[in-house]
Amino acid sequence: MEIGIDKLGFYTPHLYVDMNDLAEERGIDPGKFTVGLGQEEMAVPPITQDPVSLASNAAEQILDEDDKDAIDLVLFGTESGVDHSKSAAVYVHQLLGLNPKARSVELKQACYGATAGIQMAKGHIALHPDKKVLILASDIARYGLNTPGESTQGAGAVAILVSASPRLLALESTSTYYTADIMDFWRPVYSSTAFVDGKYSNEQYIAFFHKVWEDYQEQTGRSLTDFAAIAFHLPYTKMGWKALRTVIEDVPEEAQERLKNNYQISTKYNRQVGNIYTGSLYLSLLSLLENQDELKEADIIGLYSYGSGAVGEFLSGKLQPGFKEHLQTAVHQTMFENRERISVATYEDVFEQTLPTDGSEKQLQTSEDPAKICLAGVNDHMRSYVVK
Ligand code: COA
């Protein structure tokens, strides 16, 4: 039985900052952001979007009534969750009106959470082939104004429906993974922004890639020439290339060109959104599938997942017949076209708007946010949402 990704949804807030504007305001050469990091635009979440509403908006795009009935497991991968106890999955389950006979859980291991969810979903569907699993990968990446990480912020969510007989990508059985306790990026429970040792984090991302890629080659006998494309976790779009270029040199020229070209295409959406942590790898996969017309049935796609702290995994999947017809390409194009470019001053204002932490009431203006599902306010330490 084939098990894999049946549908992919994606949502990013309607506001963004142009990286040239940010560079100018910070007195930095724009080339550092656009070439050195490979980022053109950065999504800015209004206060009416949090990881729960972002994920709900992404999932709402793809689920029909049959899916809602068949989903009996909701797994929410995030590292910017809204509660230390209650899972974000329970909120999404309610906002989307899913079948109550379901399990709903949040998963955390930095940007790796959604990949863990996908592997758990595979096991679940193998036991219950008539069921479906909804995986949410949703985050707001906040490093702080004027910090070295500021240029690699972003916000967005990817919703992944896993089922038997998937229509997009059948996941293959072999995947390779690796864990080591390192401090390259972390966010203590008292801090609203992340701490990062940027250079070390870059090095470890590449080191973990080598470990899982070498293990994958040993276990499968495959080489890079077997892949139509490899999508990477992308904290910024140059990062995946830094890893890919270390293994691509000995590959025949034709395969090298294909992998390089498809890598560029796989970064298109990420260049416009910035870092979305858990969803970044799956946004890159989506970018590849929706923007590369030459991909075809049975092509093998590799996926490199990395979550600081750290866990790395290399997995792969086979494209399914007619997969193009089951993508939401037009919806995503419209979403990008309708975004509003804001000034750096406005971005800073939006960044500094925060919710009360003392239990006092705050009602939010959701009318200016075009999203269907918004955070409506907080009262007595409880968040409330609106479905318009
Ligand atoms: N034109 C073109 N490129 C330029 C440039 C210019 N004017 N100025 C600098 N660059 C290049 C640098 O050469 C460098 O390229 P390289 O990495 O290929 O050598 C790149 O831009 C970044 O410059 P650097 O000085 O290293 O930036 P930084 O010290 O601000 O750190 C990060 C960048 C990504 C490490 C930092 O933003 C960060 O900590 N981000 C969060 C953590 C993260 O994303 N980790 C990744 C693993 S998950």
Side-chain angles (χ1 to χ4, degrees):
M1 176 177 55
E2 304 266 43
I3 300 171
I5 300 177
D6 188 55
K7 293 182 180 179
L8 278 169
F10 163 58
Y11 184 77
T12 188
H14 71 294
L15 305 175
Y16 75 92
V17 161
D18 188 287
M19 295 308 279
N20 293 293
D21 296 348
L22 186 64
E24 192 181 331
E25 202 62 39
R26 299 289 180 254
I28 291 171
D29 184 324
K32 176 172 174 182
F33 293 166
T34 56
V35 181
L37 299 177
Q39 291 305 130
E40 282 154 23
E41 293 162 357
M42 184 171 90
V44 177
I47 195 165
T48 44
Q49 289 298 315
D50 70 4
V52 167
S53 62
L54 293 171
S56 305
N57 285 310
E60 189 270 333
Q61 260 171 27
I62 54 170
L63 301 185
D64 58 28
E65 291 308 313
D66 290 344
D67 297 328
K68 289 182 184 181
D69 265 0
I71 291 167
D72 71 342
L73 180 58
V74 184
L75 297 172
F76 197 120
T78 185
E79 54 181 304
S80 53
V82 300
D83 195 296
H84 288 311
S85 178
K86 180 171 173 170
S87 87
V90 171
Y91 288 100
V92 176
H93 177 278
Q94 190 275 331
L95 287 165
L96 297 175
L98 301 182
N99 185 345
K101 292 182 179 170
R103 296 184 177 122
S104 302
V105 181
E106 188 168 308
L107 302 169
K108 179 176 67 188
Q109 178 27 58
C111 304
Y112 173 75
T115 303
I118 285 180
Q119 297 299 8
M120 289 173 187
K122 262 173 71 183
H124 184 75
I125 300 298
L127 289 172
H128 309 282
D130 55 328
K131 298 297 183 190
K132 296 184 183 183
V133 180
L134 176 63
I135 295 155
L136 292 323
S138 180
D139 274 302
I140 295 176
R142 273 170 82 89
Y143 290 91
L145 303 176
N146 276 300
T147 60
E150 183 181 31
S151 50
T152 61
Q153 298 179 134
V158 178
I160 304 160
L161 190 66
V162 173
S163 72
S165 309
R167 283 169 284 186
L168 298 180
L169 190 75
L171 294 164
E172 297 185 302
S173 54
T174 304
S175 74
T176 51
Y177 31 88
Y178 190 85
T179 294
D181 182 0
I182 60 167
M183 294 304 281
D184 60 331
F185 173 106
W186 68 104
R187 184 162 69 85
V189 287
Y190 52 78
S191 178
S192 62
T193 51
F195 294 82
V196 60
D197 184 343
K199 300 278 177 229
Y200 181 56
S201 164
N202 288 347
E203 285 164 21
Q204 290 302 311
Y205 174 108
I206 296 169
F208 274 61
F209 173 64
H210 287 164
K211 287 182 201 304
V212 294
W213 169 237
E214 279 156 26
D215 195 5
Y216 182 90
Q217 286 176 97
E218 270 173 38
Q219 288 195 35
T220 60
R222 277 195 177 144
S223 69
L224 282 177
T225 51
D226 295 313
F227 289 85
I230 300 180
F232 285 79
H233 166 56
L234 295 176
Y236 56 95
T237 72
K238 181 94 169 278
M239 187 69 244
W241 172 239
K242 285 178 187 230
L244 183 58
R245 74 184 175 197
T246 62
V247 294
I248 210 171
E249 266 173 20
D250 299 333
V251 175
E253 205 167 312
E254 192 191 332
Q256 247 188 65
E257 284 312 308
R258 179 179 70 238
L259 291 169
K260 276 188 204 170
N261 181 40
N262 286 342
Y263 176 75
Q264 280 309 320
I265 296 170
S266 77
T267 64
K268 184 172 190 279
Y269 291 163
N270 305 67
R271 283 176 166 268
Q272 295 171 268
V273 170
N275 192 0
I276 59 166
Y277 291 160
T278 46
S280 293
L281 166 61
Y282 299 97
L283 180 58
S284 178
L285 172 65
L286 191 68
S287 186
L288 175 75
L289 300 185
E290 293 190 346
N291 295 294
Q292 170 51 294
D293 289 335
E294 287 166 19
L295 290 173
K296 55 187 189 314
E297 174 185 348
D299 276 350
I300 305 291
I301 311 290
L303 300 166
Y304 173 56
S305 182
Y306 177 79
S308 290
V311 179
E313 178 156 345
F314 191 89
L315 58 159
S316 55
K318 196 178 276 188
L319 285 176
Q320 296 302 286
F323 71 93
K324 280 269 174 199
E325 291 151 35
H326 304 291
L327 293 164
Q328 306 286 323
T329 313
V331 172
H332 300 143
Q333 269 162 10
T334 307
M335 189 167 66
F336 278 116
E337 279 160 20
N338 290 344
R339 292 194 310 167
E340 181 189 336
R341 177 175 171 173
I342 55 173
S343 66
V344 175
T346 306
Y347 143 68
E348 290 177 346
D349 283 348
V350 173
F351 190 93
E352 277 166 353
Q353 286 169 26
T354 50
L355 296 169
T357 53
D358 59 359
S360 57
E361 183 174 357
K362 179 143 184 150
Q363 293 299 327
L364 301 173
Q365 282 287 349
T366 57
S367 55
E368 284 174 22
D369 185 339
K372 178 157 185 201
I373 300 169
C374 296
L375 176 65
V378 55
N379 190 20
D380 203 12
H381 301 287
M382 289 180 270
R383 286 176 191 237
S384 59
Y385 295 88
V386 61
V387 181
K388 293 178 193 163

